[in-house]
Amino acid sequence: MDWSAKEVKLSVEDYLSMLKRELADKPYNKTAHRKNIVSFLNDRSDGSVEFKHQNISAVLMEMGLPFVRGYKPRFNYQQLLVSSIADYLENNQSILEYEFEQFARAVGVINEFEKFDFTHFVSEDPVVTPITKNPQIFKPIKINYREREQ
């Protein structure tokens, strides 16, 4: 049974609230989120909510956005999910922009004092040993079966 627009909207809002907390490096409980949202959905199991969250990860990944760790992307999602995520991102751009910006800045930052020293990765050139030809141990014998038969 396909998810209704209301169900998809609720799951997207729940998922993106978890993503905001993750990007801000604040603790949250996925199980508590899932159990809370199940009560608002039409007889959906915990597994189906988990699967929907994985679908949301896939859509965000395809949009080039970060997704919640632990919800491995699953790409067989309904198109309603794409439009619902796009609508949410458009309507909440100011809220999410700050979290995405903070996340992007934090990922690529290298401290001045933590510059890498690659000298310990340098190794000596490999020693080249000439290949010696071993004497042939087995000499195959060609048997002419026609001659043998006669």
Side-chain angles (χ1 to χ4, degrees):
M1 179 168 79
D2 283 345
W3 286 52
S4 69
K6 180 187 172 193
E7 289 177 310
V8 169
K9 183 180 178 191
L10 285 171
S11 62
V12 166
E13 288 172 357
D14 180 58
Y15 181 97
L16 290 172
S17 71
M18 288 189 287
L19 181 60
K20 283 185 348 187
R21 294 192 65 81
E22 188 168 306
L23 292 175
D25 206 23
K26 294 179 182 174
Y28 66 96
N29 187 325
K30 290 179 194 164
T31 304
H33 272 265
R34 186 180 61 249
K35 293 209 181 287
N36 183 39
I37 195 172
V38 164
S39 62
F40 295 103
L41 303 176
N42 299 331
D43 296 326
R44 301 289 178 185
S45 66
D46 285 351
S48 66
V49 174
E50 288 267 326
F51 202 85
K52 186 57 73 177
H53 284 159
Q54 291 175 314
N55 290 150
I56 295 169
S57 291
V59 173
L60 290 173
M61 183 178 161
E62 287 179 344
M63 289 179 166
L65 298 171
F67 55 90
V68 173
R69 284 179 290 215
Y71 286 129
K72 191 175 183 178
R74 294 204 178 214
F75 295 93
N76 54 336
Y77 49 80
Q78 61 187 128
Q79 289 305 308
L80 177 62
L81 187 59
V82 177
S83 60
S84 182
I85 291 172
D87 288 344
Y88 185 88
L89 292 175
E90 188 176 316
N91 295 332
N92 297 290
Q93 189 173 15
S94 61
I95 297 169
L96 293 175
E97 205 168 84
Y98 177 75
E99 279 85 3
F100 288 150
E101 190 175 308
Q102 294 296 71
F103 173 76
R105 283 186 184 159
V107 170
V109 174
I110 296 177
N111 240 339
E112 287 291 323
F113 303 107
E114 296 177 0
K115 293 202 177 191
F116 294 108
D117 178 24
F118 292 102
T119 56
H120 65 279
F121 288 109
V122 177
S123 64
E124 299 295 321
D125 290 337
V127 177
V128 178
T129 56
I131 299 175
T132 58
K133 200 166 191 175
N134 293 334
Q136 193 173 9
I137 298 172
F138 174 74
K139 279 191 167 183
I141 301 171
K142 187 174 180 180
I143 300 172
N144 187 342
Y145 288 102
R146 276 179 73 197
E147 190 177 279
R148 195 180 210 188
E149 281 288 320
Q150 288 181 5

